[in-house]
Amino acid sequence: MATQPDVKAPDADDAFREEVRQFLAANFPPELKGKGNALASVEGPAQESDAQRKWREAMGERGWGTPTWPREYGGGGLPRRQARILDEEMGRVGAYNPIGGMGVMMFGPTLLEYGSEAQKKEHIPPICRGEIRWCQGYSEPNAGSDLANLQTFAEDKGDHYLVNGQKTWTSGGQWADKCFAIVRTDKSDKHRGISFLLMDMDAPGVEVRPIQMISGMSPFCETFFTDVKVPKENLVGEEGQGWTIGKRLLQHERTNLSGGGSLARMMGASLSDLAKKYVETDDSGAIADRVLRDRIADFEIRWNAFLLTARRAVEESKAAGGVSEISSVLKKLGTKLGQERAELMIEIMGFQGLGWEGEGFSEAELAGVRAWLFGKATTIYGGSTEIQNNIIAKRVLGMLDHQ
Amino acid sequence: MAVLNEEQEMLRDMAREWATNESPVAAFRKIRASGDPEAFDRDAYGAMAQMGWSGIIVPEEHGGSDFGWLSAGLVVEELGKTLTASPLIATTLAAAAIVLGGSDEQKAKWLPRLASGETIGTLAIDEGPRHDPAKLSASVSGGKLSGTKAFVHEAHGADLFVVAAADGLYLVEKGDGVSLATRKLTDQRSHAEITFDGAPADKLENGGDSLLDDVLDRARILTACEMLGMAQAVFDMTLDYLKQRVQFNQVLATFQALQHRMADLFGDLAMMRSAVEGGLQALDIGVGASRAAIIAKAEANRALHLISREGIQLHGGIGMTDEYDAGFYLKRARVLEAIWGSTPYLRDRFAGASGY
């Protein structure tokens, strides 16, 4: 039910499907089947095996890791319909997209819209090939939800900016090559004093400290900038345009954070399969605990409605052109449902679903616990649920600010 | 809102304009005040039929337009917004039963009449206060049907009943062997217990073993469309009210506590719309309709329940008055939640169909 076939596929699509099948047969190493890691962006880069590298390079070569991006910058140049075929065919053989991260999800689409020709030529192709990791320099200790209240200052030094300040919650900062950041270039204007700047993480003066989280993982960092020199050509758009560009990027972020619920996907088994394994079933194979069964069905129905909503948003925004107004709704709903699912999952498993480390727990059980804890961040980062509610109330529903 | 083609956009706009101008909630008030047990305006239904709405899912060769379920749903949603009282859904479902299960002769006899609005049809399925199509005792012997059907919607105006007996679906005409006892429900529409006592019955022989289920899928989805319109209307009227009402020298809409509740309801409404439109599209494509119907009706039940309750609360005292419209939606909502599957029933069915 989650996806519906097109009523009639044009012949070109059949030809494309055949092309994808041949490509996968020739390039996808069978030993990687089902090995896609949805947690990769928060777990950091594992040692890349030869097979993984070859698969990434093959996909990067075609631009199929970023299938709908323009061909001239290294993307696949595919219409959305064919991108879906690619997705379907990869799913069919257990293949995964080896190219991802914030460069793909947030920065790339924003740079394609606002970047100069030279910036696109420089930065987009390495993203399409999965060669460069980007991190996001947005949040600051005193500017979390009040994002525009940022203090990191970029002083105009003629041919370059001199950047001083601190960012926090820099996801994957310790593994990133580059950072897209919003910084203050004018202290006299809260919103128009913000600019969008690209920085090298290995530049002198950049220091990264991972923060230990309740899940035990450290994907988030504090990032300090001390007299960091950033060339002027790394300014995206005009000076002072950073708030506009930054907000656009946040729309992409929201859409991706909610899209299909990567958190839920990485938990693997369906809730009902888990329940059948950990809770008794009756003679007919139904979950014997009827209350639990009812709650799982309640969740699954709403989850399906959410997936349909995500699909509808894509179709509507494609028809209307541009990112849908509904991105705040998707972020809010998707993250809430993901958390609900994780809570239900550990409840189903009982103590077996609360293991921290060591003996007596399967890898999946331990991963589930970490994912449940890490998942608490989803309603806080990328604009908390409360911020999304403000956006929906004010921008979509037209409810006014206090007068 | 699903992406529509030009034809569908015109149909929706026409339905919206007609409902707003010709059939506002005031029209329902008039029907309620009249106490007419049929509880709909025959002239208004005639106008709907004239515009082709009663024949949207009927094939062209039988006098319909064959515009599909998404189109039918668009019209029903618009009518749901203004609580338009009519047997449009019931007649469409009766027609659907005949399209799916009727012989050529039955189709030729009934579909043109249902499509033109000349004949009003309805479904008579359940025999108790809760939807349970697995338990049916009505039976047919020698072409005569006997049994009792509870809470049959649009019963008073109907000329033709699609009746579920233990061994299949039958067409029964109003007349000998059919008697009605009114059951006035909170929505003030037509509901009745019908006793069939050896009424002449004509079996729908085609459509296979799943005929009843297939008809019920359509019943669930089309009812969910009315509920979607109602939920949208309550949401819109509540939002308008919050934007106008001043308390503590401030417009209520500026209070964050209320803004976040409206944002929550907006999310629920979005999920409900996706589920309902997904159901309609599944019917048109012919894939996964049974599962899509459960999802559509379950989401409609859940979201409308919530929105109809919050609609009263957010209006405050005025929402409690009969003079204001919000209460009508609450009362109709509960009736539609109960019809063709309550929320627990649908969850049980979803779990069963999913193999757990």
Side-chain angles (χ1 to χ4, degrees):
Chain A
M1 181 53 226
T3 58
Q4 292 175 354
D6 287 333
V7 178
K8 190 168 177 295
D11 295 343
D13 290 351
D14 292 339
F16 179 72
R17 192 180 292 276
E18 189 48 40
E19 183 189 342
V20 172
R21 287 188 182 173
Q22 284 175 15
F23 168 81
L24 289 172
N27 291 286
F28 181 65
E31 70 255 43
L32 295 182
K33 195 176 164 181
K35 293 266 170 65
N37 182 5
L39 262 181
S41 63
V42 292
E43 277 182 346
Q47 198 64 34
E48 195 177 44
S49 68
D50 274 355
Q52 285 169 325
R53 182 178 48 74
K54 278 188 187 146
W55 172 229
R56 176 172 58 76
E57 286 172 356
M59 281 289 275
E61 185 71 25
R62 288 267 183 150
W64 283 358
T66 47
T68 59
W69 293 14
R71 188 89 209 124
E72 56 185 309
Y73 304 116
L78 301 179
R80 220 175 269 277
R81 213 176 49 252
Q82 292 190 343
R84 200 159 61 199
I85 291 172
L86 174 64
D87 221 32
E88 284 166 14
E89 290 301 315
M90 287 204 298
R92 210 173 48 83
V93 299
Y96 59 91
N97 186 349
I99 291 166
M102 293 182 191
V104 172
M105 293 192 302
M106 308 172 202
F107 174 60
T110 311
L111 195 72
L112 282 171
E113 190 173 346
Y114 287 99
S116 66
E117 191 56 30
Q119 287 169 336
K120 290 186 217 176
K121 284 223 163 77
E122 180 184 354
H123 296 298
I124 301 290
I127 294 176
C128 296
R129 293 194 301 268
E131 292 170 355
I132 291 282
R133 278 175 170 262
W134 284 87
C135 66
Q136 178 180 35
Y138 270 38
S139 294
E140 296 190 6
N142 292 311
S145 286
D146 185 11
L147 186 58
N149 189 34
L150 56 90
Q151 306 301 322
T152 295
F153 190 61
E155 191 186 354
D156 192 337
K157 290 285 189 186
D159 67 331
H160 68 274
Y161 291 104
L162 199 64
V163 179
N164 280 284
Q166 181 193 345
K167 294 287 174 183
T168 190
W169 309 127
T170 321
S171 313
Q174 67 271 57
W175 309 302
D177 304 292
K178 289 175 184 291
C179 176
F180 53 89
I182 45 177
V183 297
R184 185 155 296 290
T185 40
D186 178 356
K187 292 180 181 172
S188 68
D189 191 311
K190 187 174 176 182
H191 290 99
R192 273 171 298 190
I194 293 173
S195 298
F196 197 97
L197 213 53
L198 310 180
M199 298 197 265
D200 283 330
M201 291 300 280
D202 59 3
V206 178
E207 192 198 341
V208 177
R209 292 182 204 153
I211 305 168
Q212 171 110 344
M213 306 300 291
I214 57 175
S215 59
M217 298 189 288
S218 307
F220 296 121
C221 300
E222 294 177 291
T223 306
F224 299 87
F225 303 103
T226 311
D227 289 339
V228 180
K229 272 184 163 180
V230 179
K232 275 276 179 72
E233 62 257 32
N234 283 9
L235 175 73
V236 177
E238 308 277 317
E239 195 173 283
Q241 206 191 351
W243 186 241
T244 305
I245 301 172
K247 276 196 301 186
R248 181 63 163 175
L249 184 136
L250 289 176
Q251 285 190 325
H252 292 296
E253 179 177 25
R254 267 171 228 139
T255 306
N256 279 297
L257 289 178
S258 61
S262 57
L263 258 183
R265 219 181 306 129
M266 77 193 175
M267 291 170 195
S270 76
L271 287 176
S272 55
D273 286 349
L274 270 186
K276 283 183 172 179
K277 187 173 161 195
Y278 289 87
V279 186
E280 281 179 42
T281 50
D282 65 20
D283 294 340
S284 68
I287 298 160
D289 182 336
R290 306 301 271 198
V291 176
L292 186 62
R293 178 174 177 270
D294 182 76
R295 286 172 59 204
I296 292 171
D298 170 36
F299 176 82
E300 294 285 348
I301 288 169
R302 285 181 293 127
W303 181 248
N304 273 281
F306 170 72
L307 294 177
L308 288 166
T309 307
R311 191 185 73 185
R312 181 161 68 87
V314 170
E315 286 169 2
E316 286 172 14
S317 65
K318 198 172 70 178
V323 178
S324 164
E325 277 276 14
I326 216 170
S327 65
S328 283
V329 183
L330 289 180
K331 202 270 177 180
K332 162 193 163 83
L333 295 175
T335 52
K336 172 174 173 271
L337 286 167
Q339 289 182 351
E340 231 182 278
R341 188 186 195 283
E343 292 287 359
L344 201 46
M345 181 192 70
I346 60 164
E347 189 183 327
I348 289 168
M349 297 195 287
F351 282 118
Q352 210 62 35
L354 290 166
W356 186 250
E357 62 187 8
E359 282 178 34
F361 303 101
S362 69
E363 238 176 79
E365 286 166 349
L366 293 174
V369 175
R370 304 297 171 121
W372 156 64
L373 287 165
F374 182 77
K376 295 300 174 211
T378 61
T379 48
I380 300 168
Y381 65 40
S384 67
T385 298
E386 289 70 24
I387 290 290
Q388 305 306 332
N389 281 342
N390 286 348
I391 292 171
I392 294 165
K394 284 163 196 164
R395 287 195 215 144
V396 185
L397 303 181
M399 298 172 90
L400 308 170
D401 272 319
H402 286 273
Q403 293 162 328
Chain B
M1 183 74 250
V3 178
L4 305 178
N5 63 34
E6 209 175 311
E7 219 167 47
Q8 289 165 332
E9 271 184 25
M10 277 171 60
L11 183 66
R12 181 203 53 197
D13 293 347
M14 185 166 81
R16 184 172 294 172
E17 204 183 307
W18 186 83
T20 310
N21 297 327
E22 308 297 326
S23 178
V25 181
F28 169 67
R29 282 183 185 276
K30 229 165 109 185
I31 288 164
R32 182 182 68 153
S34 77
D36 178 357
E38 282 189 4
F40 72 94
D41 179 340
R42 289 241 167 206
D43 290 343
Y45 186 63
M48 289 184 209
Q50 201 72 48
M51 290 184 281
W53 297 349
S54 42
I56 292 179
I57 60 102
V58 173
E60 287 178 38
E61 72 257 37
H62 295 302
S65 63
D66 208 5
F67 272 1
W69 286 94
L70 180 58
S71 302
L74 293 172
V75 171
V76 167
E77 181 191 338
E78 292 304 325
L79 300 176
K81 286 181 184 170
T82 59
L83 294 173
T84 297
S86 86
L88 181 66
I89 293 181
T91 297
T92 301
L93 295 173
I98 295 167
V99 169
L100 292 169
S103 63
D104 289 345
E105 201 181 314
Q106 287 165 326
K107 287 179 186 172
K109 179 177 178 189
W110 291 112
L111 291 178
R113 299 185 198 177
L114 292 165
S116 70
E118 175 194 342
T119 294
I120 288 169
T122 193
L123 304 182
I125 312 284
D126 288 307
E127 299 178 356
R130 300 181 68 83
H131 175 63
D132 192 356
K135 268 194 220 138
L136 299 177
S137 65
S139 63
V140 177
S141 135
K144 308 273 187 187
L145 188 142
S146 294
T148 301
K149 294 291 173 182
F151 300 102
V152 175
H153 197 10
E154 308 298 353
H156 295 86
D159 314 294
L160 180 68
F161 299 93
V162 176
V163 187
D167 69 332
L169 292 181
Y170 288 83
L171 300 179
V172 177
E173 292 182 60
K174 182 176 74 176
D176 287 347
V178 180
S179 55
L180 265 64
T182 296
R183 295 285 181 268
K184 203 92 180 160
L185 295 184
T186 177
D187 66 348
Q188 313 269 358
R189 295 279 299 272
S190 158
H191 301 272
E193 178 168 291
I194 305 186
T195 306
F196 297 96
D197 185 9
D202 187 15
K203 191 173 189 192
L204 295 173
E205 298 277 7
N206 299 324
D209 291 342
S210 67
L211 179 59
L212 173 59
D213 280 338
D214 292 341
V215 172
L216 286 172
D217 290 341
R218 285 152 181 78
R220 290 183 186 119
I221 291 168
L222 210 54
T223 301
C225 294
E226 180 179 349
M227 298 169 83
L228 176 62
M230 291 167 60
Q232 183 73 57
V234 175
F235 183 86
D236 290 345
M237 82 171 62
T238 304
L239 185 58
D240 283 348
Y241 180 74
L242 294 178
K243 285 178 178 177
Q244 284 163 19
R245 172 80 167 155
V246 174
Q247 301 253 271
F248 307 105
N249 296 320
Q250 278 181 31
V251 178
L252 286 182
T254 63
F255 288 105
Q256 196 179 49
L258 302 180
Q259 290 177 348
H260 286 198
R261 278 165 71 182
M262 290 305 286
D264 279 343
L265 296 183
F266 185 72
D268 287 311
L269 188 58
M271 298 231 295
M272 177 187 189
R273 176 171 293 286
S274 315
V276 173
E277 291 178 356
L280 292 166
Q281 288 165 338
L283 286 180
D284 282 335
I285 291 170
V287 177
S290 169
R291 191 176 165 80
I294 300 173
I295 293 167
K297 181 68 166 41
E299 271 299 279
N301 279 5
R302 184 187 68 79
L304 180 61
H305 187 96
L306 204 64
I307 291 170
S308 61
R309 284 171 61 170
E310 286 283 78
I312 301 282
Q313 175 69 20
L314 289 166
H315 274 89
I318 195 172
M320 291 296 298
T321 64
D322 187 73
E323 187 191 338
Y324 210 78
D325 293 340
F328 287 176
Y329 290 86
L330 178 82
K331 291 186 273 189
R332 175 76 172 156
R334 295 304 174 274
V335 171
L336 295 183
E337 279 173 60
I339 207 167
W340 317 130
S342 64
T343 302
Y345 172 86
L346 294 165
R347 286 182 193 160
D348 177 65
R349 200 177 163 86
F350 182 88
S354 309
Y356 62 92

